[in-house]
Amino acid sequence: MAILVTGGAGYIGSHTCVELLDAGYDVVVLDNLSNSSEKSLERVEALTGKKVKFYKGNILDRDILNTIFTKESIESCIHFAGLKAVGESVAKPWEYYENNIAGTLTLVDVMRQNDCKNIIFSSSATVYGDPAEIPITEECPKGQCTNPYGWTKSMLEQILMDIQKADKEWNVILLRYFNPIGAHKSGIMGENPNGIPNNLMPYITQVAVGKLKELGVFGNDYDTPDGTGVRDYIHVVDLANGHVKALKKLEENVGLGIYNLGTGRGCSVMELVKNFEEANGIKIPYVIKERRPGDIATCYCDPAKAKRELGWEAQYGIREMCEDSWRWQKNNPNGYEE
């Protein structure tokens, strides 16, 4: 029996494939390569010495999903596939709603027709909106999302909860990620964004490698210790291991499970820059810019429930995240492109 990993060639997906294969699972990947590279899967195979079955296609394509479920013995699905750039979602809401929501509805329909009713959904801390409490627990009420990307995550959580409520054969785990950074310690796998990065760490590493002139810091007048936004940065390998633990939980017929995956510690933008500079001996020039609409001051979680129920907790600190991110970028200045 195999695990279907949608979006498995992407940043979090590829690192999760490594951990799944190392844990003894067979892996089947579906990815349309719109924001990823098939070369990441070659690196997965090189690191693990195991094969990944790869299908190139979109979760909106019912035919390719039917082909996968006909040819492969799929036991569970880890669902990463989705458009994920906050700013782009504001400019292209229809594309985000169609791909993320209609695509997931298609995937879930094909799953149930093939009697596969186990899914781990890649959700996000964005569902909390401007959180009612810090640190954020899973009991914190979901908030008003500030962009279409966030709404797709929030709506899909509700859809999956409703499906599980109506049919108790479903096991659904919603993993609410905080801010994944870092890279595999080998330096051969990491975050490989198309075009100008939307996330902080790849922007820092591209400044460090000379591809970008300076880092833009959006706002230094927040109610935080140094005025810059505070987030819960988590090493991507810790995040990947969280999915392996969640799969074990699915085997217990969990019904519905909701977990925050973060370190439980807030780190400001300037603190991250300082750690990167100290860890790698590189100065990062930056310029302060206006706040971005929809950004909040502080967002970090209480990960106690994941520790208690999944036996999972983050192992890596900020310094290791910075070192691993730079090792990847330095060794692969153009990402997966030679």
Side-chain angles (χ1 to χ4, degrees), residues 6-7 16 22 31 37 51 56 61 82 109 116 125 153 155 171 179 181 201 213 245 252 266 268 299-300 323:
T6 69
T16 300
D22 283 347
D31 200 303
S37 169
K51 291 294 290 178
K56 184 180 177 184
D61 184 346
D109 192 32
C116 174
K153 293 297 188 188
M155 291 174 187
N171 291 297
N179 294 65
I181 60 173
M201 182 56 86
K213 187 178 99 173
K245 296 284 192 183
E252 300 173 18
S268 76
C299 182
Y300 63 93
E323 290 170 348

Side-chain angles (χ1 to χ4, degrees), residues 115-127:
D115 204 32
C116 174
K117 295 182 176 181
N118 298 307
I119 189 167
I120 295 170
F121 177 59
S122 165
S123 191
S124 165
T126 59
V127 301

